[in-house]
Amino acid sequence: MEKQSSNWATQLIESLGSFLRRCICLILSAGCLPRHVAFIMDGNRRYAKKQGLLDGAGHRVGFLALMNMLKYCYELNVKYVTIYAFSIENFKRRPEEVESTMQLILEKIEALLEKESIVNQYGVRVHFIGNLELLSKPVRLAAERAMNATEHNSKAVLSICIAYTSTDEITHSVEETCKEKQDEFRDLDACGAGYGLVGLGGNATGSNEPLIDVADIEKHMYMAVAPDPDIIIRSSGETRLSNFLLWQSASSILYSPRALWPEIGFWHLVRAILDFQRNLAYLENKRKQS
Ligand SMILES: CC(C)=CCC/C(C)=C/CC/C(C)=C/COP(=O)(O)OP(=O)(O)O
């Protein structure tokens, strides 16, 4: 009997919460909503310490916080969400810690593919972004499975940055661009044009157009699957970007609440969107005045 009434109370609180969120979403949609929100999920271990738990428990609660945050984003029709799940720098942590975090990531990739998961409920396409060759075979295969299983989902896009740093992404992209350009020159040479890859002063047709432009580099970025983020939210009050989306964040708003990642919630997202809308209004005013 007691259990029944507590179930009933939980359901009532959930319905009220969901109704309140719908009202707030409606109010926020009177303004411009972000297309892409990116998250630096910082503070899982500090949360675990604060609660007297092991590090791994902090990451587990962090994953639940992530699932809630995805639901809020999709309720607000934010089509693109990107998360920083594991950086190349994180591989320098103690081997046991890297191993247990990877084990958890593997388990959670499987969870993302379950029928009832947020990914399936909202029709989300999942991309794993980063130098996936640095991952162990089981994690890499699970990531590939998840990408294949969701490739026909088109309502939203979740990019999971893993074995990622922005400088590594840029280096990779420049390398790919150079290879592509070299191939183009080789083809032209084979046609008898005779230009060769002689320098950065001109293109294959001999004009003064740059040899490589921004669009070339962007095309080869891992993050070419999404537009640049409108908002980056980093939990735990830190304002560093920590080598995350450096190329793509030229015009992003950074919001950095004091809450540790497992404590992050709907109101933090609302606050970030209000900041974003205020910033857009400011830019619009400035544009009109000039
Ligand atoms: C499949 C999928 C999406 C999995 C995600 C799993 C997950 C929640 C990973 C987070 C890992 C991580 C390094 C968090 C940062 O906290 P921290 O360890 O840097 O904590 P600290 O800042 O307190 O040291």
Side-chain angles (χ1 to χ4, degrees):
M1 179 69 180
E2 221 171 79
K3 199 170 173 203
Q4 237 176 6
S5 64
S6 90
N7 276 349
W8 184 82
T10 316
Q11 268 174 18
L12 181 71
I13 292 170
E14 267 173 24
S15 306
L16 280 175
S18 157
F19 174 71
L20 185 63
R21 281 203 309 276
R22 275 210 299 276
C23 296
I24 304 283
C25 289
L26 235 114
I27 296 169
L28 287 178
S29 15
C32 184
L33 287 171
R35 256 196 318 169
H36 184 178
V37 181
F39 295 94
I40 303 178
M41 308 187 291
D42 197 20
N44 286 349
R45 291 182 304 180
R46 270 169 285 167
Y47 175 84
K49 204 166 177 191
K50 199 165 118 182
Q51 303 291 331
L53 305 167
L54 295 173
D55 287 353
H59 292 316
R60 281 182 188 280
V61 188
F63 183 77
L64 293 179
L66 170 64
M67 292 301 107
N68 284 330
M69 187 52 87
L70 288 180
K71 181 170 76 182
Y72 306 146
C73 286
Y74 299 140
E75 283 176 356
L76 274 162
N77 288 322
V78 174
K79 180 161 181 181
Y80 298 91
V81 173
T82 298
I83 58 162
Y84 205 2
F86 201 85
S87 80
I88 292 179
E89 293 300 312
N90 289 151
F91 282 111
K92 293 181 188 153
R93 290 182 176 184
R94 284 180 299 113
E96 316 84 80
E97 191 181 337
V98 172
E99 175 59 31
S100 67
T101 312
M102 280 297 152
Q103 203 50 46
L104 176 79
I105 288 178
L106 180 59
E107 177 192 318
K108 296 306 178 193
I109 297 175
E110 308 289 350
L112 286 181
L113 296 180
E114 280 166 16
K115 204 159 164 259
E116 306 295 314
S117 74
I118 297 277
V119 163
N120 284 320
Q121 273 178 47
Y122 289 90
V124 182
R125 179 168 187 181
V126 178
H127 291 285
F128 282 83
I129 301 290
N131 190 345
L132 304 189
E133 281 171 19
L134 298 178
L135 298 171
S136 68
K137 199 170 171 197
V139 179
R140 195 173 57 250
L141 291 180
E144 279 163 11
R145 256 197 322 278
M147 288 194 276
N148 290 335
T150 60
E151 69 182 340
H152 298 298
N153 292 350
S154 58
K155 291 203 180 115
V157 174
L158 171 63
S159 302
I160 301 177
C161 295
I162 186 169
Y164 173 90
T165 57
S166 201
T167 40
D168 179 69
E169 178 186 29
I170 295 168
T171 309
H172 162 84
S173 169
V174 170
E175 231 173 86
E176 289 301 308
T177 308
C178 288
K179 270 190 222 154
E180 185 186 63
K181 294 287 165 184
Q182 243 166 350
D183 289 346
E184 275 175 25
F185 275 88
R186 215 168 282 127
D187 291 349
L188 275 170
D189 268 354
C191 294
Y195 295 112
L197 191 58
V198 285
L200 295 172
N203 70 11
T205 60
S207 83
N208 280 330
E209 299 266 318
L211 195 61
I212 290 176
D213 62 21
V214 171
D216 290 318
I217 306 277
E218 283 180 343
K219 188 170 75 181
H220 292 289
M221 289 282 191
Y222 300 131
M223 277 302 294
V225 296
D228 290 348
D230 301 298
I231 304 175
I232 297 182
I233 300 181
R234 177 171 186 153
S235 52
S236 83
E238 303 281 353
T239 47
R240 280 169 291 121
L241 282 178
S242 295
N243 218 336
F244 181 56
L245 306 185
L246 301 183
W247 180 283
Q248 297 85 352
S249 60
S251 306
S252 313
I253 300 277
L254 174 66
Y255 175 56
S256 151
R258 290 175 73 89
L260 301 172
W261 177 256
E263 299 164 339
I264 201 113
F266 179 66
W267 295 106
H268 297 112
L269 181 64
V270 171
R271 171 68 206 278
I273 293 177
L274 288 174
D275 273 5
F276 166 72
Q277 292 183 337
R278 205 172 313 127
N279 200 268
L280 280 186
Y282 167 78
L283 289 177
E284 183 63 15
N285 266 342
K286 225 171 120 178
R287 199 182 53 82
K288 275 187 201 150
Q289 279 163 17
S290 62

